[in-house]
Amino acid sequence: LPVAVNALNGEDTVCLNVPYTYVASNNVNGSIYAWSAIGGTVTPANGSDTVTVIWTGGTMELQVWRESIEEPYCAGEVLTMNIVEDLMNPGITGPNPACANGYNVYDANYTSGDSYFWTVSPSAAGSVTGNPYLNTATVLWNNVTAPTAATVTVTVTKCGQSFSNDYNVIVEPSNPPTFIVAPVSACPGFVTFEVTGGAGSYLWDIPGVFNGTGSNNITIEFPYNDGSTSIPYTVSVTASGAGTAACPPSGMVSYII
């Protein structure tokens, strides 16, 4: 009998109705290769170490063996490759609900696509940042003022076929910052204030004393009071933009000292 085929190389996870190339090795004098494709069509059926197969589904196997070129044309041992269909089944996962002014990563949970494209709708709710052509996407949610329904969509293309998957998300508005450190009263000199951290920027306003940007923690020098009564000051801070927090604070808060 002819010796068995040494190896069979080619894709064992396939798309249907797409041509794939398979190669058998090694050639042996006095014999040729013979092929059979269950659940597909193989071309040529014999004589070559390289064939093209178009798979059509169901139980799929590619078989190859050597046959003697002289009578009685004995066949050698069959080498079989089991074939499975590559099912294109992306299913998005990621945070839901999401927070306004925050970044979130969403995953298609399918890595063998030929291409990917991500979108967010409506655009008023958020947008994809960075590269939208990967199997994961980073979404920046906008500063919505009320709970907002949004849809994250990925379109995956594989073997010339496209499949889209939607993932519904509720975007919750971010809360205004709150004061963490703020004295009830203070003597003239340096006074420290601190509000909830995690936003991208903070605008502080103390009329007649200070107006400018800073972090969520700031120390301000208050002027000397040469009068006989205390002077009230309103300390206001506005937080905005995406920062280090998953749900960064957003909006203005005031405090009277």
Side-chain angles (χ1 to χ4, degrees):
L1 295 176
V3 297
V5 176
N6 296 57
L8 175 56
N9 297 309
E11 295 289 338
D12 60 0
T13 303
V14 302
C15 298
L16 301 184
N17 303 310
V18 175
Y20 289 87
T21 299
Y22 296 88
V23 180
S25 61
N26 292 323
N27 293 325
V28 175
N29 291 334
S31 67
I32 60 172
Y33 292 102
W35 298 82
S36 174
I38 300 172
T41 303
V42 58
T43 306
N46 56 59
S48 174
D49 63 349
T50 302
V51 295
T52 298
V53 181
I54 296 178
W55 299 105
T56 54
T59 299
M60 296 183 290
E61 294 180 354
L62 181 60
Q63 300 175 341
V64 60
W65 62 95
R66 289 191 176 98
E67 287 185 354
S68 174
I69 60 175
E70 297 179 352
E71 292 185 358
Y73 308 113
C74 297
E77 181 180 348
V78 175
L79 178 61
T80 300
M81 176 185 286
N82 293 316
I83 306 296
V84 296
E85 182 182 356
D86 188 353
L87 298 175
M88 189 165 57
N89 57 348
I92 299 173
T93 56
N96 180 36
C99 300
N101 302 310
Y103 291 94
N104 290 126
V105 175
Y106 293 86
D107 193 332
N109 291 290
Y110 179 77
T111 59
S112 60
D114 295 332
S115 67
Y116 300 82
F117 186 68
W118 293 83
T119 59
V120 176
S121 61
S123 58
S127 60
V128 176
T129 64
N131 190 345
Y133 304 107
L134 304 176
N135 63 301
T136 62
T138 300
V139 174
L140 172 59
W141 299 109
N142 292 340
N143 185 28
V144 298
T145 58
T148 301
T151 302
V152 179
T153 301
V154 62
T155 300
V156 182
T157 300
K158 176 75 173 182
C159 299
Q161 300 179 355
S162 295
F163 181 87
S164 293
N165 180 237
D166 293 335
Y167 186 69
N168 296 323
V169 178
I170 298 297
V171 186
E172 298 286 354
S174 294
N175 295 319
T178 58
F179 276 91
I180 300 172
V181 176
V184 176
S185 62
C187 297
F190 292 96
V191 180
T192 297
F193 300 91
E194 182 179 353
V195 295
T196 312
S201 66
Y202 293 84
L203 175 63
W204 293 85
D205 181 48
I206 308 172
V209 178
F210 178 81
N211 180 273
T213 57
S215 69
N216 66 303
N217 183 298
I218 195 169
T219 299
I220 301 296
E221 183 178 11
F222 280 78
Y224 180 76
N225 177 11
D226 57 2
S228 59
T229 58
S230 61
I231 301 175
Y233 289 94
T234 299
V235 181
S236 299
V237 58
T238 302
S240 62
T244 58
C247 293
S250 177
M252 186 183 75
V253 64
S254 297
Y255 181 83
I256 298 177
I257 183 175

